[in-house]
Amino acid sequence: MSKIVNFSNILIAFVLFQSSSYAQSGEPLYTKPIGAQAYTFRSSFPKGIEATLDSIQAFGITELEGGPQKGMTTAELRKQLDKRNIKMPSIGAGYESLVSNPQETIDNAKILGANFVMVAWIPHEKGNFNLETAKKAVSDFNKAGKILKENGITLCYHNHGYEFVPYEDGTLFDYIVKNTNPEYVSFEMDVLWTVFPGQDPVKLLDKYGSRWKLMHLKDLRKGVKGDLSGGTPVENDVALGTGQIDIPGVLKAAKKAGIKHYFIEDESPSFMKQVPQTIAYIKSLKE
């Protein structure tokens, strides 16, 4: 895994050199810490947690959204993160485990120093996300979110595309936002999973403003047509600025909405090449 660190440094140097093609004048558009979703490195962690964290550090990433890792205690993971000056402001939790045992999630969040817990999937029959499912999610999120808030933690639901089924004058996603208690439930926008089902992330950021707290930065390959499935081949994740999404527009709207933390998520097999390319791109953007 030490080779990964060296490879990372070479890629970073190369992409930073190439980033002159992105050069613009003005103040930097992106001013937050560079964050990443741990799922990006899912193929690396099983080969060595510490070496993977070394690679993440080499990319210049200082915030990680993740959670406990198999093969290491949560307390030890916190020590390894601290050793590399990487913070974990947000952790993920499965819907069912959060509903049935919120205390376990709370304990993990406190050990890792996380102020946010995100849920990225609502269980449902494939291709049939309906009002009944949305109503149950609203009830479960309000209950779990209240418990988390009492422990100083904010629950965020991460959209995944299937929630944008038309409903009344909007979508079932709108239903979830409007019927969850703002005191207990906030949201994390996954940019790819907003565009893929045909939604406009800028309009949604403007519409719900401070209900959005977190963001997954992802780009969708040009020419790909989406749907409401909540799934697409991982090869359709491309480096920011090379796909079909207006990343500068999204970042401007996200800044206006007050997004607290941004996490690069690259599910493609080319993440070792694309992550540094993405970092160089967002650092190059100007107001």
Side-chain angles (χ1 to χ4, degrees), residues 55-56 83 92 130 135 139 146 174 186 191 238 258 268:
S55 296
I56 291 169
K83 181 179 176 181
N130 54 37
K135 284 183 176 180
S139 176
K146 183 176 187 294
D174 293 312
S186 295
V191 180
V238 295
S268 79

Side-chain angles (χ1 to χ4, degrees), residues 157-177:
Y157 174 62
H158 160 305
N159 66 286
H160 219 287
Y162 52 77
E163 317 88 342
F164 295 102
V165 174
Y167 175 71
E168 292 187 344
D169 60 347
T171 68
L172 286 178
F173 179 78
D174 293 312
Y175 175 87
I176 293 171
V177 178

Side-chain angles (χ1 to χ4, degrees), residues 102-247:
Q103 190 58 50
E104 181 180 10
T105 296
I106 290 166
D107 292 344
N108 288 330
K110 289 186 173 181
I111 292 171
L112 292 167
N115 297 317
F116 294 92
V117 166
M118 74 89 166
V119 175
W121 192 266
I122 297 171
H124 63 281
E125 180 185 352
K126 186 175 181 180
N128 185 31
F129 188 80
N130 54 37
L131 180 60
E132 183 180 348
T133 305
K135 284 183 176 180
K136 184 177 187 305
V138 164
S139 176
D140 288 338
F141 288 157
N142 281 333
K143 290 176 185 175
K146 183 176 187 294
I147 297 170
L148 263 59
K149 186 187 178 184
E150 290 168 352
N151 286 271
I153 300 165
T154 299
L155 174 63
C156 289
Y157 174 62
H158 160 305
N159 66 286
H160 219 287
Y162 52 77
E163 317 88 342
F164 295 102
V165 174
Y167 175 71
E168 292 187 344
D169 60 347
T171 68
L172 286 178
F173 179 78
D174 293 312
Y175 175 87
I176 293 171
V177 178
K178 292 173 183 176
N179 288 278
T180 45
N181 189 329
E183 291 189 26
Y184 305 145
V185 183
S186 295
F187 294 85
E188 176 173 50
M189 176 179 283
D190 186 298
V191 180
L192 184 149
W193 292 121
T194 302
V195 171
F196 190 79
Q199 300 297 308
D200 184 334
V202 172
K203 288 182 179 178
L204 277 174
L205 285 163
D206 289 343
K207 184 174 184 178
Y208 293 119
S210 61
R211 291 298 298 277
W212 300 106
K213 297 293 193 297
L214 310 173
M215 177 171 281
H216 279 184
L217 291 171
K218 303 166 76 169
D219 209 343
L220 179 64
R221 185 178 302 280
K222 291 179 180 178
V224 172
K225 294 187 182 300
D227 52 39
L228 294 170
S229 66
T232 190
V234 293
E235 291 79 10
N236 287 335
D237 274 34
V238 295
L240 295 193
T242 67
Q244 60 179 275
I245 300 175
D246 173 17
I247 299 299

